[in-house]
Amino acid sequence: MSKSAFKRASVTGGRQRTDVLASLHNAQLVESKPVLPAEIISTILDYLAVPDLIHFARVSKRMQEMVYDDTRWVQRLKAMGCWDEREAKQRFEDAMRKQWEGRKGKEQDPTKKGGGSAVKRSVPGGEKADGTIFDSDLEATKQQVPIEEAPRLRPGSLVDGFDTLAVSAHINTLGANVSGRVETGDAALLHILTAVRSIRGAARQEYGKVYSGLSPYYFNISMRGTRTDAKVFRDFKDPEQQSQMLSQLKHFAKSDFAHGNSAREESLDTLITTFEVAVLREFEQALYAADVSGNMKKYACVLVTLNGGQAGVDHFIRQNPLFSEKQKFGNPMDCLEYAFSGSITLGPSSDFFKRLSIETNQQAAIIDQVFPSSVDVLYHLLERVSEIIVSAYITPLLDETHGRSIDAYLKAVAGLYDQSMQFSQSLKPTIGSAETFRQDVDELFAKVFEPHVDLYLQEELRNFTRLSGDEVNNWEKKLTDEYASTESYFMANVNRVADKRDFLSSFKKVVMMPVNVVAMPFT
């Protein structure tokens, strides 16, 4: 990585010196710089295998610092999904709080100030420290121990946070010859990823634990001739443990950045696929035998542990009796055959949804017995129910009704929608259902009516326009009739007044007639 620091000085003349140290005395120290910058070296380290990284750290103190950089190992833990930033932050804050409490107690305790009877302990460098639970100065001093003072390692072994990995002198398979101290078949390996702690400054040690436990199984799979007799199958006989180990190896493969990682991951995927097919075959046989609480439940848990169990869920839904016996729920044309001409009855459709609700709730009870709570199988089943059963019932019924009568069609859309919403409310959630189960199911069955919304709105608008026009015409006719009757009434009143006036005038003439005709006697 760097040029030689010594340069031989030329002899100017005279007799050749025979002193063996003459060349060393005549050597001149020449300052040199690394050939590669630190950024490029750091990038190269990202693609080295773990055993090579450990060997590289022994080259110099500078190389050790680059290899031991905590961010390098945090990156690998994040790739496996084992690093929790919130946990790391919380641990860091707790450590800082303990440090502050320790300093505060040290300042307030007179025995720790004057060096009384406090317990002493030695640290590197010969200094004495008091009995504080957490002393940041002491911890910092421990981290600054020179590489020369580190414990000497025996040849072929390392303790660089990897639990004494035995490293072969000649590693030609990038870790295939690396074996940890963890005993084969140890139950602790089944939970090794969940046991990883997110501690800043200790990511290398945490990754070392995972590497020492899983790397022997991971590299064994990539070796020729070991796929059918892999180490993971020899050490773990129970299918649930095998699936748990394969799942962890799949996550561990994501932290493999070394050359050839694609081929190793492909070998692992091939083995996982072979194992999944075998487990799925056992699950299928248990499904046909209706062994709900036995092998069906057992192998469903194996599939879920392996990769989420999507293959088992799909097979359970595909072979579900709801779809193979959907004809028993009812015929949609019964709603038209049992009704008068040009009308529709929704009694048969109500019976259809009731029978479907009973059968679906029975399947939900089976799901609770077979699948773990981490998988929401019921919602995926209801998706298929809405597509294959409910939609297949509603669509031909609405199409046929639309061709016969618009009024019946409008009644059918509104009635069937109300019945489907009642059906969704009658369904019982499983232990794996989401908290928004009711809302999700309502939206799911509401989508069944989306293809009919445009036509329904058009027909509803036409029907509303027609009914509104008829109603307006009726209003206009009534208003016209009322206006005519009112006008005749007022006109009748006017004629009566005229007649009354004529009558009074005539009466006045008659009364006044003797006065006008006969002369007064006193005139």
Side-chain angles (χ1 to χ4, degrees):
M1 291 302 173
S2 61
K3 296 180 180 179
S4 175
F6 295 93
K7 181 179 181 181
R8 184 180 297 276
S10 60
V11 181
T12 57
R15 188 168 57 89
Q16 185 73 23
R17 302 183 62 177
T18 59
D19 190 359
V20 294
L21 299 178
S23 60
L24 182 60
H25 290 309
N26 294 329
Q28 297 179 0
L29 184 62
V30 179
E31 183 180 359
S32 63
K33 296 182 180 180
V35 177
L36 296 176
E39 292 79 7
I40 297 180
I41 297 177
S42 179
T43 304
I44 294 174
L45 293 179
D46 290 338
Y47 296 96
L48 289 182
V50 171
D52 295 335
L53 283 174
I54 301 175
H55 284 300
F56 192 81
R58 302 171 70 181
V59 173
S60 66
K61 183 176 181 180
R62 179 170 177 266
M63 297 301 104
Q64 185 192 57
E65 291 175 353
M66 297 184 69
V67 172
Y68 283 12
D69 184 13
D70 198 59
T71 58
R72 187 178 310 282
W73 305 100
V74 168
Q75 179 185 5
R76 293 177 181 265
L77 293 177
K78 285 183 177 180
M80 295 189 300
C82 298
W83 182 264
D84 187 356
E85 193 65 35
R86 297 177 59 184
E87 178 186 352
K89 182 178 179 181
Q90 183 64 36
R91 288 180 179 273
F92 176 77
E93 292 176 352
D94 293 343
M96 294 299 296
R97 184 173 61 254
K98 290 180 181 179
Q99 175 183 354
W100 179 81
E101 292 175 355
R103 289 183 176 179
K104 185 177 180 181
K106 183 178 179 180
E107 294 174 356
Q108 294 178 354
D109 192 347
T111 60
K112 295 183 179 180
K113 287 184 179 181
S117 59
V119 179
K120 302 291 183 179
R121 56 185 178 185
S122 61
V123 296
E127 299 179 359
K128 296 293 182 178
D130 52 30
T132 306
I133 297 177
F134 183 87
D135 192 337
S136 61
D137 298 332
L138 174 61
E139 297 299 327
T141 306
K142 288 182 178 180
Q143 296 296 329
Q144 295 175 0
V145 176
I147 188 172
E148 293 80 3
E149 298 182 10
R152 187 173 298 277
L153 307 175
R154 69 176 185 272
S157 68
L158 295 170
V159 292
D160 296 351
F162 288 84
D163 295 337
T164 314
L165 296 180
V167 184
S168 174
H170 179 67
I171 300 177
N172 53 8
T173 56
L174 294 180
N177 296 327
V178 178
S179 60
R181 293 190 305 175
V182 183
E183 298 180 0
T184 57
D186 192 350
L189 289 176
L190 300 175
H191 309 283
I192 193 169
L193 291 184
T194 57
V196 173
R197 300 173 299 172
S198 301
I199 305 176
R200 291 176 181 173
R204 174 171 51 86
Q205 289 82 352
E206 294 298 317
Y207 182 80
K209 297 175 185 178
V210 177
Y211 188 89
S212 63
L214 298 183
S215 60
Y217 299 95
Y218 176 69
F219 291 106
N220 173 262
I221 294 173
S222 62
M223 296 174 61
R224 292 184 178 181
T226 58
R227 291 185 181 179
T228 57
D229 190 22
K231 178 179 175 61
V232 65
F233 295 140
R234 297 196 306 267
D235 292 350
F236 298 91
K237 302 300 182 181
D238 186 70
E240 295 184 10
Q241 295 181 347
Q242 293 172 352
S243 64
Q244 197 165 351
M245 285 297 297
L246 290 175
S247 176
Q248 292 188 129
L249 291 175
K250 182 63 178 176
H251 288 83
F252 178 75
K254 297 178 181 179
S255 67
D256 181 13
F257 307 141
H259 177 70
N261 58 342
S262 299
R264 291 189 290 273
E265 188 170 2
E266 183 179 356
S267 300
L268 177 61
D269 291 339
T270 302
L271 183 65
I272 291 177
T273 302
T274 303
F275 178 78
E276 183 180 21
V277 171
V279 174
L280 192 60
R281 188 182 303 113
E282 297 294 333
F283 178 80
E284 182 179 2
Q285 294 178 0
L287 179 61
Y288 289 151
D291 188 9
V292 175
S293 301
N295 288 338
M296 193 173 173
K297 178 180 180 179
K298 174 182 177 181
Y299 290 107
C301 294
V302 171
L303 292 171
V304 171
T305 303
L306 181 64
N307 53 14
Q310 190 59 45
V313 173
D314 293 340
H315 190 79
F316 175 80
I317 294 176
R318 186 167 54 252
Q319 302 296 332
N320 199 277
L322 286 175
F323 309 110
S324 59
E325 303 174 2
K326 64 179 182 178
Q327 299 298 332
K328 68 179 182 180
F329 297 120
N331 186 0
M333 295 300 113
D334 293 343
C335 297
L336 297 175
E337 293 178 0
Y338 298 149
F340 295 104
S341 177
S343 62
I344 185 174
T345 177
L346 298 179
S349 63
S350 177
D351 296 336
F352 162 82
F353 281 109
K354 289 180 180 179
R355 287 190 289 266
L356 181 60
S357 174
I358 294 174
E359 294 292 333
T360 304
N361 286 329
Q362 291 179 357
Q363 293 300 317
I366 295 177
I367 291 173
D368 280 336
Q369 298 180 36
V370 174
F371 292 92
S373 60
S374 60
V375 184
D376 188 3
V377 182
L378 179 59
Y379 183 78
H380 296 290
L381 177 64
L382 293 178
E383 285 182 328
R384 300 288 292 172
V385 168
S386 65
E387 297 173 2
I388 298 178
I389 300 179
V390 177
S391 180
Y393 183 90
I394 290 177
T395 298
L397 176 58
L398 294 181
D399 293 342
E400 183 66 23
T401 306
H402 181 266
R404 295 189 179 188
S405 172
I406 299 301
D407 293 337
Y409 172 77
L410 298 176
K411 176 184 176 182
V413 173
L416 291 174
Y417 180 81
D418 180 67
Q419 291 178 353
S420 64
M421 292 298 100
Q422 293 180 7
F423 164 72
S424 66
Q425 292 296 321
S426 66
L427 298 177
K428 299 178 181 179
T430 59
I431 56 177
S433 299
E435 296 180 357
T436 58
F437 173 78
R438 294 297 179 191
Q439 179 181 353
D440 296 340
V441 174
D442 287 344
E443 294 177 356
L444 182 64
F445 287 100
K447 291 180 180 178
V448 176
F449 293 85
E450 287 185 355
H452 309 280
V453 170
D454 292 338
L455 180 60
Y456 171 77
L457 292 178
Q458 292 176 5
E459 297 297 345
E460 186 69 54
L461 180 60
R462 294 194 188 104
N463 186 63
F464 177 77
T465 303
R466 179 177 59 82
L467 294 178
S468 299
D470 295 342
E471 193 68 22
V472 170
N473 292 333
N474 292 333
W475 289 348
E476 290 180 351
K477 183 178 180 181
K478 291 181 179 179
L479 290 175
T480 302
D481 295 342
E482 291 180 359
Y483 178 77
S485 61
T486 303
E487 184 179 4
S488 62
Y489 173 78
F490 284 123
M491 291 300 295
N493 290 338
V494 172
N495 293 334
R496 290 193 184 96
V497 171
D499 293 342
K500 184 177 181 181
R501 288 177 180 177
D502 294 342
F503 174 75
L504 292 176
S505 300
S506 301
F507 181 76
K508 182 178 180 181
K509 291 179 181 180
V510 173
V511 173
M512 296 299 295
M513 185 178 294
V515 178
N516 294 333
V517 175
V518 181
M520 296 299 293
F522 302 102
T523 56

